[in-house]
Amino acid sequence: MNKTLKGIIGGSILLAMLGGVFAYLKMTEPEPNEDSSSKSSDSGIQTELFNAYSDDINQIEVKNPNGDSYIAVRRFDQTKTTDADGNEKTEDIANYYLKGYEKLPMNTTQIRLLATRAGSVTSEDTVAEDVPDADLAKYGLDHPVEVTLSLDNSDPIKFRIGNETPVGGNRYVAMDGSNTVYTLGSFNVEPYLDGIKDYLGTSLTEEQADDDDTKIESVRIERKDLDYDFYFIYDPYYEENANGGAMALHVMEEPVKALLSGDRSAEATHGLYGLTASEVLTPFPKDADKKAAGLDDPFVKVTMKTDDHKTTEFILGDTYQTEDGETRYYGMLKGIDCIYGFAPDQIAYEDLKAEDIISRNVIDMYVWDIGKLTVEGGGEKLSFTVQGESKEDAVVTFDGKKQDEEGIERYRKFYSYLLNTKAEDLVMPDEDVKLSGDPLATVKIDRQDGKRSYDIQFYDAGNMKAYIVVDGEARFRCRKSYVDTLISNMKIYNDADKEFTMSW
């Protein structure tokens, strides 16, 4: 093939390609006004539409014919910040709040975009000048989103936002009083297209700060699907006697008196701190809105009382499905007049089970805190007294006889078995418990300081189980083999050559 032919073919291909591009551009651009005097300018002409310092914007008004209209007002808030050297300082920061929604949590960081995106704004291109009103619909500017930025020392800036352009990720815009249509990067106008719910906050309560010593006195959880409540109370004993910190500072009073696991119970006892919703649903709901969400007769009601004389109430209503098929709960926090949506993993109340949060420990006293210990069962009886704070200074008597170092260690190992007493099952309030005959075994413990004592009895519960009765109340069940092993250990107590069995 000669060079001339190659050139002809190459040129034909290039023309075809250019023709295709031109055809695509003609298809995607708005149709020109057939009989108007609108003038299409050269492609790529950038024009500065306005220039404003964000902190000078004192009010932003957004009118959306197809969505939410609202006004955001500037307020200078004293905010703690850190300088380049790490020094903390306080300065006035301009924040913006939706007018009329001041009593609801707001996402001030997001609202601030209404001002910060309106700095130095330059168009991407000029599409058409002097477009007749009848042709504005081609650009979505017949019913535009109207934005007014009120400035401290200048005239207001007003502009209109139309449709998204077919290509390029831009929007058609026009300044107030002009029908010249520009394209502007969507980044600059996205905040004005969001609705009120996008600017309201979902953080309903703050996390408890490390230096906040407010104590939760009690938490009550009521559920429609249960015949009982969960009720937790603060017990100062566990703040003074942490014994390693595994125990919570709260205990469960209902449905069964039990110790709580510090980590597993935290969401139940402290879940109203740092409470965060998934989405905002209905600001300022009417009674009909609450009824439709099941909040007039809530599925869950949580009441938290703190030692600063405050009461916090939180309710959950019915469930609903999001567009993505996720199940959420309608919920409200008393004092905030808004319905929110909560994902199940944000709350612990709707499916809380007592057995998931108790510590399962029945005895929680440190071995050297004990002043008196008496264990009976299987015809055996062991009695101990203890004085001292550690193995080094403890004075232990067994059946009235002072123990030497080996005897003290024998006592410690025997008591470690008692510490393994576990609440394997809870005895719920609706269970018909009948205790018959004498107890299989009895354990009585008194602290040296007199702050706490336990009277524990084990009764046959059938099915290879034993009831654990604490202070006269049947609260738990354990395997009967635990009691059998306890009695076996009692029988060999005086034979120091025999090791205690620690499993059952």
Side-chain angles (χ1 to χ4, degrees), residues 281-313:
L281 295 176
T282 311
F284 309 122
K286 298 180 174 58
D287 288 344
D289 297 321
K290 296 177 184 178
K291 185 175 183 179
L295 293 166
D296 59 330
D297 183 21
F299 172 62
V300 174
K301 180 180 179 181
V302 184
T303 305
M304 179 180 74
K305 295 184 178 181
T306 48
D307 66 353
D308 56 358
H309 309 295
K310 292 182 180 178
T311 298
T312 305
E313 294 183 5

Side-chain angles (χ1 to χ4, degrees), residues 14-40:
L14 178 60
L15 288 172
M17 292 173 63
L18 291 174
V21 172
F22 178 76
Y24 174 77
L25 293 175
K26 293 298 290 181
M27 290 172 64
T28 56
E29 72 177 1
E31 294 182 11
N33 182 29
E34 293 180 1
D35 60 352
S36 76
S37 60
S38 60
K39 304 172 184 177
S40 297

Side-chain angles (χ1 to χ4, degrees), residues 422-439:
K422 297 298 181 185
E424 297 178 15
D425 301 312
L426 292 175
V427 177
M428 302 305 286
D430 58 350
E431 292 190 42
D432 184 17
V433 176
K434 294 180 180 180
L435 305 177
S436 59
D438 295 329

Side-chain angles (χ1 to χ4, degrees), residues 1-16:
M1 184 180 299
N2 61 38
K3 293 182 180 179
T4 303
L5 185 56
K6 286 182 180 180
I8 293 173
I9 294 174
S12 299
I13 294 173
L14 178 60
L15 288 172

Side-chain angles (χ1 to χ4, degrees), residues 169-454:
N170 297 323
R171 285 266 176 182
Y172 296 115
V173 297
M175 300 303 294
D176 184 62
S178 170
N179 278 11
T180 296
V181 178
Y182 305 93
T183 57
L184 184 63
S186 295
F187 174 83
N188 291 105
V189 297
E190 280 173 351
Y192 310 106
L193 305 177
D194 288 336
I196 290 172
K197 294 178 184 179
D198 298 301
Y199 291 124
L200 294 179
T202 54
S203 295
L204 309 189
T205 61
E206 294 182 356
E207 295 279 0
Q208 188 171 20
D210 292 338
D211 59 353
D212 181 4
D213 58 1
T214 302
K215 292 181 175 59
I216 298 173
E217 293 183 335
S218 66
V219 176
R220 182 174 292 277
I221 302 170
E222 305 167 63
R223 279 226 316 259
K224 285 179 66 175
D225 63 331
L226 299 176
D227 296 328
Y228 54 82
D229 293 349
F230 295 97
Y231 186 51
F232 311 109
I233 63 170
Y234 169 73
D235 190 338
Y237 170 84
Y238 291 103
E239 191 161 26
E240 300 169 5
N241 303 276
N243 290 345
M247 298 297 178
L249 301 183
H250 294 75
V251 295
M252 184 167 68
E253 286 285 300
E254 300 175 29
V256 177
K257 290 184 178 181
L259 305 176
L260 294 175
S261 165
D263 55 349
R264 296 197 305 274
S265 66
E267 287 188 4
T269 57
H270 290 69
L272 294 189
Y273 278 108
L275 181 65
T276 302
S278 295
E279 60 180 327
V280 180
L281 295 176
T282 311
F284 309 122
K286 298 180 174 58
D287 288 344
D289 297 321
K290 296 177 184 178
K291 185 175 183 179
L295 293 166
D296 59 330
D297 183 21
F299 172 62
V300 174
K301 180 180 179 181
V302 184
T303 305
M304 179 180 74
K305 295 184 178 181
T306 48
D307 66 353
D308 56 358
H309 309 295
K310 292 182 180 178
T311 298
T312 305
E313 294 183 5
F314 174 63
I315 57 175
L316 293 173
D318 297 336
T319 60
Y320 67 97
Q321 298 288 320
T322 67
E323 292 181 357
D324 297 331
E326 180 184 349
T327 299
R328 290 181 181 169
Y329 285 85
Y330 296 105
M332 291 188 73
L333 186 72
K334 188 175 182 179
I336 298 180
D337 196 13
C338 184
I339 298 176
Y340 297 89
F342 293 86
D345 60 1
Q346 293 176 302
I347 44 179
Y349 313 112
E350 86 290 355
D351 61 351
L352 183 68
K353 297 178 182 177
E355 56 266 31
D356 292 340
I357 59 175
I358 64 171
S359 74
R360 300 196 178 273
N361 286 354
V362 178
I363 300 171
D364 62 339
M365 293 183 194
Y366 185 51
V367 60
W368 308 119
D369 291 335
I370 293 172
K372 186 177 181 180
L373 169 65
T374 303
V375 186
E376 296 184 66
E380 301 289 331
K381 181 178 180 179
L382 307 179
S383 297
F384 306 89
T385 62
V386 182
Q387 289 182 329
E389 298 179 353
S390 66
K391 182 178 179 180
E392 285 69 31
D393 66 1
V395 177
V396 179
T397 67
F398 168 53
D399 289 344
K401 297 178 182 179
K402 184 177 179 181
Q403 300 296 290
D404 58 14
E405 186 175 339
E406 290 184 1
I408 293 174
E409 179 62 12
R410 187 75 170 165
Y411 157 75
R412 188 195 66 78
K413 288 183 177 179
F414 177 75
Y415 182 72
S416 67
Y417 181 82
L418 291 178
L419 282 177
N420 284 327
T421 305
K422 297 298 181 185
E424 297 178 15
D425 301 312
L426 292 175
V427 177
M428 302 305 286
D430 58 350
E431 292 190 42
D432 184 17
V433 176
K434 294 180 180 180
L435 305 177
S436 59
D438 295 329
L440 301 172
T442 300
V443 178
K444 294 183 178 181
I445 308 175
D446 295 288
R447 280 180 59 100
Q448 291 183 43
D449 57 14
K451 291 183 178 179
R452 188 138 302 190
S453 63
Y454 287 120

